[in-house]
Amino acid sequence: MEKSLTTVMVAAIHLALLSPAAVAEPRMPAPASIGQVTSVSQLSDVRPTDWAYQALASLVEKYGCIAGYPDGTFRGNRALTRFEMAAALNACLDVISDRFATKEDLATLQRLREEFAAELATLRGRVDNLEARTATLEATQFSTTTKLSVDAVMAFQAGGNTRQVVDPISGNTFTGGSYNPTVISKVEINLNTSFRGTDLLTTTLEVGNNGLDTFGATGIGTDGLIAGGAADYSGVGANVELSRLFYSFKPTEDLTIGVGPQFYPSDIVDTNSYANDSFTDFSSNFFINNPLIVPYAVNDPGGAGVSIEWNPGGGFFTLRGVYVAAAAGAPTGIPTGGGLFGDPYQGTVELEFARAFGANERNNFAVRLQYTNSSTLNISQNAGGVNVELTLGKFGLFGRYAYSDMKLYGDGAKIDGLGPFAVGSLIPPGGQVKTTAQTWMAGLAYRDLLAEGSLLAAAVGQPFINSLASAFGTNDATQTNYELFFRYPLSDNISITPVFMAITNANNSATNSPIFQGLIRTTFSF
């Protein structure tokens, strides 16, 4: 305390009394108003070459007891009055008395230390233990740049139909008693790595148990362009596979660019707060993505490509673009072309407007206008779509729609690209077939029913409305999908979800009777 006080006093005396100007210049009246400064750099007329610069810097920045004039100057060559000297010393002494304890304070502190000696010793032991554990974790941690997360789903399902359903791909006929209850599982292990804080390398490993649901077993939407409604987490193989390898970075604050040999168009476009993730919301592969904007033939296997996302000024508008080729790793051997720019591929552009409104911004609205050009299994299309969602407190409304101009080509080839919706139909030799298609879905939701974090939602939609019937004598009806689920959180990491799903006119065939299935889905996230 005494050393600090001496330093301040000596510095102040040097500044005030030993300055040549204090002797040489006549005394002038002091200005009426002086402003406090926190850094010597705020004093425009003080230079590092001034003989008292270090002393002044210490008084200003260390002790905060020197003021400048309102015009930002110190006027170090001006003579100092005895009153000004007294005021400056008093200000510095006030700072010192505030920062340093008195003898009485030290005595009180010593008494408290003796009184709580046992508690302090216990606390010191806990701190030492924490430091040791921290050192162990740092020495054995997985990575300083990578975070590990895991999503796992286990589902029990059972289903059936009232009469029969014909699988147009295999030709098998399934009656009401033909279905076995099954168990389905899927695990995604995600490694998220950032090297600079503004980039992200995503590596995902995926494995399942090859489990199928009732819809998948009957060939509903499991092949071709259209996702018809089977559980998205069904049919995952028992071998660990690379599901995602994708790197994104931000060259500017508003722009994100991504590139990777394995990712999915739905990673970038066609997101929706209520219908986008089969781990947490709808199970059906139809309800989580628009089948014409995000074709199943590309989005199911994924592929290589690039993406871009631009959100000017962090505002309401976001522009996204993505290109993915599903057979980018195959130089030959793909009947439809393959390679980085060959069939199957898709390119999509999406413009989003999203904003929150209302008290505490508890409500929000988003609309996404979409365009896709794709070539998938000898079917080229230009599709336009819209994806909307509205949240009003705990209530939510959402939906998707798309319209497509399609051209089927291939000189006598089968229309395998439409999967079960037009299996076995032939294109006239040397010809092309043009058609149109539409798809839509709509739903509503309610959050936090019975428990915070829960979600009750229902949706209805038609995957593939088309005009192929006049050309091929197929698609004599329109398939309609229904799904209802209630996600209930058991903890922050575990949720259980009863799901009910139904399909009428499966595979756009009036001969197929309604088919139903129920699932109990348990999701683990950590």
Side-chain angles (χ1 to χ4, degrees), residues 386-399:
V386 61
N387 174 332
V388 297
E389 60 180 274
L390 172 65
T391 298
L392 299 173
K394 294 183 178 182
F395 289 93
L397 300 172
F398 53 95

Side-chain angles (χ1 to χ4, degrees), residues 45-211:
D45 60 342
V46 176
R47 302 287 183 270
T49 55
D50 293 338
W51 68 274
Y53 178 86
Q54 292 299 330
L56 183 60
S58 178
L59 289 170
V60 172
E61 298 173 3
K62 185 176 181 180
Y63 295 98
C65 59
I66 289 296
Y69 289 97
D71 62 358
T73 63
F74 181 69
R75 304 180 192 177
N77 291 325
R78 176 185 169 276
L80 186 72
T81 68
R82 293 172 62 85
F83 289 114
E84 290 172 331
M85 178 64 180
L89 285 176
N90 184 67
C92 290
L93 290 174
D94 285 343
V95 171
I96 292 172
S97 64
D98 290 339
R99 293 189 178 183
F100 297 90
T102 64
K103 291 183 178 180
E104 291 76 8
D105 294 334
L106 294 174
T108 302
L109 182 62
Q110 181 63 28
R111 288 196 301 271
L112 291 173
R113 180 179 179 181
E114 294 173 355
E115 182 177 352
F116 293 98
E119 289 81 356
L120 289 173
T122 300
L123 183 60
R124 187 180 300 110
R126 291 180 178 178
V127 171
D128 292 342
N129 184 44
L130 287 174
E131 289 179 346
R133 293 174 62 184
T134 300
T136 301
L137 287 174
E138 289 178 348
T140 59
Q141 65 181 331
F142 173 73
S143 171
T144 59
T145 59
T146 301
K147 293 183 178 180
L148 171 68
S149 66
V150 177
D151 295 307
V153 61
M154 299 187 302
F156 169 82
Q157 78 83 35
N161 61 72
T162 56
R163 297 188 306 274
Q164 67 176 25
V165 172
V166 177
D167 178 0
I169 296 178
S170 66
N172 295 328
T173 298
F174 298 87
T175 62
S178 300
Y179 308 99
N180 295 320
T182 61
V183 175
I184 306 169
S185 68
K186 177 183 177 180
V187 178
E188 287 188 351
I189 302 172
N190 304 292
L191 303 172
N192 298 309
T193 304
S194 181
F195 303 100
R196 299 181 299 172
T198 58
D199 62 341
L200 182 65
L201 174 65
T202 302
T203 306
T204 302
L205 303 177
E206 181 181 87
V207 65
N209 72 333
N210 283 310

Side-chain angles (χ1 to χ4, degrees), residues 377-518:
L377 308 179
N378 281 344
I379 300 175
S380 65
Q381 69 153 350
N382 290 287
V386 61
N387 174 332
V388 297
E389 60 180 274
L390 172 65
T391 298
L392 299 173
K394 294 183 178 182
F395 289 93
L397 300 172
F398 53 95
R400 293 182 174 98
Y401 172 81
Y403 177 90
S404 172
D405 279 321
M406 290 183 176
K407 182 171 66 175
L408 293 74
Y409 55 94
D411 193 14
K414 290 183 178 181
I415 310 175
D416 293 332
L418 289 177
F421 289 99
V423 67
S425 299
L426 296 177
I427 299 174
Q432 299 177 351
V433 174
K434 294 183 178 180
T435 186
T436 61
Q438 300 178 68
T439 183
W440 68 272
M441 62 83 71
L444 51 87
Y446 186 81
R447 295 185 183 275
D448 299 337
L449 177 65
L450 301 180
E452 184 177 358
S454 68
L455 179 64
L456 174 66
V460 59
Q462 295 179 318
F464 191 66
I465 308 169
N466 72 98
S467 58
L468 283 173
S470 60
F472 301 110
T474 58
N475 295 285
D476 56 352
T478 299
Q479 175 177 310
T480 304
N481 293 42
Y482 308 84
E483 183 171 344
L484 169 69
F485 73 88
F486 177 58
R487 184 188 72 220
Y488 186 83
L490 300 179
S491 69
D492 292 339
N493 306 105
I494 305 174
S495 66
I496 187 168
T497 308
V499 182
F500 173 76
M501 303 167 67
I503 290 179
T504 59
N505 299 320
N507 299 324
N508 282 11
S509 174
T511 62
N512 285 331
S513 63
I515 183 171
F516 310 91
Q517 71 177 16

Side-chain angles (χ1 to χ4, degrees), residues 254-292:
D254 302 333
L255 183 65
T256 302
I257 297 175
V259 60
Q262 178 63 28
F263 71 107
Y264 305 89
S266 58
D267 291 341
I268 310 300
V269 298
D270 201 37
T271 61
N272 191 288
S273 300
Y274 297 98
N276 196 68
D277 185 356
S278 61
F279 283 100
T280 59
D281 48 66
F282 288 92
S283 292
S284 167
N285 52 19
F286 163 58
F287 285 120
I288 62 176
N289 282 118
N290 189 318
L292 295 178

